Structures are given as structure tokens and as C-alpha cells.
Amino acid sequence: MSPTFRALSIRNYRIYAIGAFVSNIGTWMQRVAQDWLILQLTHSGTALGITTGLQLLPVLLFSPIAGVVADRVPKRTVLRFTQAAMAIPAALLGILAITGVVQAWHVYALAFVFGIGTAFDAPARQSFVVEMVGRDDLANAVGLNSASFNSARMIGPAVAGVLIAALGSGVRATGWVILANAISYVAVFVSLQLLDGSRLRPSPVTGTRKGAVRDGVRYVRSRPDLILILTCVFFVGTFGMNFQMTSALMATEVFHKGAGEYGILASIMAVGSLAGALLAARRARPRLIFVVLAGAAFAVVEIISGLMPGYATFAAILPLLGLCALTMVTSANAMIQMTTSPMMRGRVAALYLMIFMGGTPFGAPLIGWVGEEFGARWMLIGGGAVSLLGITAGTLWYLHKQDIHRPELQTVARDMRWPGRPVRTTSLP
């Protein structure tokens, strides 16, 4: 089998990947439909930002607890419960839209409830991968997970856009698409039931002593490389990767397009994201330098995308934006999992997700307000500029912590983990 797809030779991972792919398509369909729904109800960029923020707010609020749960409870068990926790609010929102009684506050409330399920699902799902494939194939599996997610990102938005347009582009049309996502979670539940438990490699389950969250924070604080990763993903995730909102407003307000063209933009970006994920899957080990450089490149390309004069040129640059984003995210995710102690993996993954996604409740309404006050282009220009400044500051801090001074700048490549060279880290006593 090609090195790019070697993790698929493992039966458990192959079954799980099929279920996840089906669910990912449904997830992307709902993202497009939910954004279109709130725009139909409010015609407000700020409302769109609030919806996105509320859906991700539980990640900020509950991720530390979710990480402890992922380390204390068998991850397969956690994942069974979280599928229902995401399917139920999706089904309710779909039914409310189909029946025509949905209001903006319904969308806000159910987006928040849906986010609670996501908050507990994500750390368990991410740290479950190594139990299926082992450490040697972990980087490849992480890359393939991202490839699956972004393949679905090409399919889901396009299907959602076509369905919404075919069903009249109204509120009821979005309801059918959202209901389809609720049904898609059945695929993940079935795949979890079909796994061969004897071939899993369960991580040690931690005890129930107090201070588990604090231990995870202390562990991260002892690792300058992890802090730099978290800094990069915070700025890019909070201020840069608001694609749902920026694409929707660029399509409708700047280029005066409809639901179909909006869905196509998300699919076009996913082409680059898929390429980035597949390239990451070919690398045996992730490197810190990839996280930093890909994050900086993403910020620069995002600024440029905000300056594109027309729909065609804007669409043309989106694959490069997706490539940079996924190179950063996949490298960061793999490093978090591969360099973290198994006893801490769930908690560190939760902190990573809390910082990566949890900043959006603050960033999304702010970016939405910028779009409403100054125009959609400034959402991209401003988001890219803030991301670049944050990554630069984080890198300078890291270099300072590594005691790198001007006469020894030739050691930067070594300490930022060019191939074959170790990262300097500190362990807890």
C-alpha cells in the first residue's frame, strides 16, 4: 500500500474512517445550511458570528473537563455517547426549520447544545486514533483524518448548496439539509460497534484524584514547544480561520452570489486543504517548523485573498489558503499526540482544542462586527494581520526561551525541529 494510505491497512482504523467520512459530509452540509439559515432569519453578519461563537463556546468552557473524561473513561464509550449528543440538537433544529417555526434564538440555543457534544467528542476522538493504529502509524492516520475531513468538505458544502437551491433557498430548505446531518451520526455509531476490541491498544486510564486538569496545564507549561504550537493555533483559529463567516459574506455582500456559489467556495478551498492533509500523511514525523511557517504563510495568503477583485480570483486563491491552513493544523495535531505522554494525551488534546476552537467565541463576533462595519474584505485582511503578528510574537518568545542569541542563530533550524533533530523539552518531575 502507498505510504500515504498505510494506516488504512489496519482493519479497525479502516472501519472507523468510513463511518467518520460519512459523518464529516453531514457536518459540512449542516455548517453551510446553518449559516444560510441564520442569514435568512437575520440578514446580519454579527448574528452569523454569534452563531459560530456559541457553537464553539462549549469547547472553551468544557474542554478541560472533557480531557479528563477522555483520560478516565474508555474513549470508545465516550464516543458512543457524543454521537447522540450531537445528533439530537441537529435533528431538533432541522425539524424546527422544516416546520417553519424556527427563530434566531432557536439557532443560537441549539448551536450551543450541539457544541457541548462537540467539546466532549473532540479530545476523545483525537486521542482514540493512536489506540487503533499505534504510535508508528499515528502521523499517517492524523493526516488521513484531515484528508477525510477535507474530502467531505469538498462534497458536503457543494451538496448542501445544490439542495438548498433546489428546495427553494428558504428556511425550510436548510432544515432538510440539517436533518441529513443528524442521520449521518448513525454511521459513526455503527463503525464503533464493529471495531475489534482485542486489536485496540487502550491508553492507561487515569485515576480519579483531584487536580487532573491542573496537572495537564503544568505539563503543557513545562514544554515550550507545545506553548508555541498552541500560540500559533490560537491566533490562526481565533482570527484567521473563520471561513464559514468570511466566505458567506464575501459571496453575498461583495460578489452578490447565492447559496450555490457560496457552497462552491467552501468546496474549492477544500481542494487545497485536502492536498495539505495528504502531504502531511506522507511525512513520518511532524516538525515544529512546519507549524510556524505554514501558519505565517496562511496569514499572508489570507490578507491577499481579502484584496482579490472578483469572485473568480477570490475562488482561485482559496486552495492555497486551505493548503497552508491544513499543513499547520495537521502538523500541530500530530505533534501534540506524538510528543505527549500517554497519561496526559486526552488532557493535552483538550487544551489544544480549547485554544484552537475556544477562541472563536470571542474572535467570530469581533470579525463579524468588522465585516458589518467596514466590509467583508476587512474580515480577511484584519484576521490575517492579527494572525501574523501573533505567530511572530510566539516564535520570538520560543527562541528566547531556548536561549538563542544572535551569534548562535544557526541553531534555530535545529531547535525548531528540522528533520532528524530533537526538540528541547522539559519533563515534569
Side-chain angles (χ1 to χ4, degrees):
M1 180 173 288
S2 167
T4 304
F5 302 101
R6 63 182 180 275
L8 290 175
S9 64
I10 300 170
R11 178 184 177 275
N12 275 347
Y13 178 74
R14 187 167 61 249
I15 292 172
Y16 178 81
I18 292 170
F21 180 63
V22 173
S23 180
N24 285 337
I25 292 174
T27 296
W28 280 108
M29 290 174 65
Q30 173 161 336
R31 288 190 180 189
V32 171
Q34 182 174 278
D35 288 350
W36 197 255
L37 172 60
I38 198 66
L39 284 175
Q40 290 287 307
L41 293 173
T42 66
H43 305 285
S44 168
T46 301
L48 183 58
I50 291 172
T51 302
T52 302
L54 284 172
Q55 187 160 318
L56 294 177
L57 180 60
V59 176
L60 179 64
L61 297 177
F62 302 117
S63 280
I65 301 171
V68 174
V69 171
D71 283 334
R72 288 182 176 175
V73 180
K75 297 170 182 62
R76 191 177 175 188
T77 301
V78 175
L79 291 172
R80 290 190 181 108
F81 281 100
T82 57
Q83 302 316 300
M86 292 183 289
I88 291 171
L92 287 175
L93 182 58
I95 292 169
L96 287 172
I98 290 169
T99 56
V101 299
V102 68
Q103 299 179 32
W105 73 267
H106 293 143
V107 182
Y108 295 154
L110 289 171
F112 181 80
V113 175
F114 183 90
I116 295 175
T118 301
F120 282 87
D121 178 78
R125 174 169 39 82
Q126 292 208 358
S127 52
F128 184 56
V129 175
V130 70
E131 297 187 7
M132 290 185 286
V133 303
R135 183 179 173 83
D136 291 343
D137 290 317
L138 178 59
N140 179 251
V142 169
L144 291 178
N145 283 351
S146 294
S148 169
F149 188 71
N150 286 281
S151 296
R153 190 178 183 177
M154 288 190 292
I155 298 169
V159 172
V162 169
L163 286 176
I164 292 171
L167 294 172
S169 298
V171 168
R172 287 181 174 83
T174 64
W176 289 109
V177 175
I178 294 170
L179 191 60
N181 177 50
I183 297 171
S184 74
Y185 290 106
V186 175
V188 180
F189 190 87
V190 171
S191 71
L192 290 170
Q193 295 298 110
L194 294 176
L195 297 184
D196 183 351
S198 65
R199 297 186 180 184
L200 296 175
R201 304 171 178 86
S203 299
V205 177
T206 63
T208 58
R209 71 181 184 85
K210 296 181 179 180
V213 173
R214 185 171 60 250
D215 288 345
V217 173
R218 288 180 60 233
Y219 180 82
V220 170
R221 289 180 60 186
S222 73
R223 296 276 304 273
D225 57 323
L226 294 184
I227 293 176
L228 177 57
I229 291 172
L230 296 179
T231 300
C232 292
V233 300
F234 168 75
F235 280 98
V236 170
T238 301
F239 301 105
M241 293 179 67
N242 293 290
F243 300 140
Q244 293 174 253
M245 188 166 46
T246 54
S247 294
L249 293 179
M250 287 292 285
T252 57
E253 295 187 1
V254 177
F255 304 123
H256 309 292
K257 303 295 183 180
E261 291 87 350
Y262 163 47
I264 288 171
L265 285 180
S267 296
I268 290 173
M269 179 180 288
V271 173
S273 300
L274 176 60
L278 291 176
L279 287 173
R282 292 186 65 86
R283 291 193 291 268
R285 297 187 65 82
R287 309 297 181 190
L288 183 57
I289 192 70
F290 292 152
V291 179
V292 175
L293 292 183
F298 167 84
V300 172
V301 174
E302 183 167 44
I303 293 171
I304 295 171
S305 70
L307 302 173
M308 290 294 101
Y311 179 84
T313 53
F314 179 73
I317 202 171
L318 290 183
L320 180 58
L321 193 64
L323 174 66
C324 295
L326 257 291
T327 299
M328 188 205 76
V329 171
T330 305
S331 298
N333 191 343
M335 281 202 69
I336 289 288
Q337 295 193 53
M338 293 186 70
T339 66
T340 299
S341 165
M343 295 288 289
M344 292 285 180
R345 191 172 286 132
R347 278 164 283 182
V348 175
L351 288 171
Y352 164 77
L353 291 164
M354 180 181 71
I355 290 171
F356 181 34
M357 301 171 64
T360 302
F362 301 104
L366 176 61
I367 295 296
W369 175 82
V370 168
E372 197 164 287
E373 293 295 320
F374 302 101
R377 292 186 182 278
W378 283 101
M379 299 167 71
L380 294 163
I381 296 170
V386 173
S387 298
L388 185 59
L389 288 173
I391 292 170
T392 301
T395 303
L396 292 174
W397 174 87
Y398 174 81
L399 296 179
H400 174 72
K401 291 294 289 185
Q402 295 296 88
D403 295 323
I404 297 177
H405 305 293
R406 183 167 294 278
E408 293 86 21
L409 284 180
Q410 65 270 21
T411 63
V412 170
R414 179 197 66 202
D415 288 330
M416 292 189 74
R417 197 177 176 88
W418 287 102
R421 306 304 295 267
V423 173
R424 191 186 312 167
T425 61
T426 303
S427 300
L428 284 174

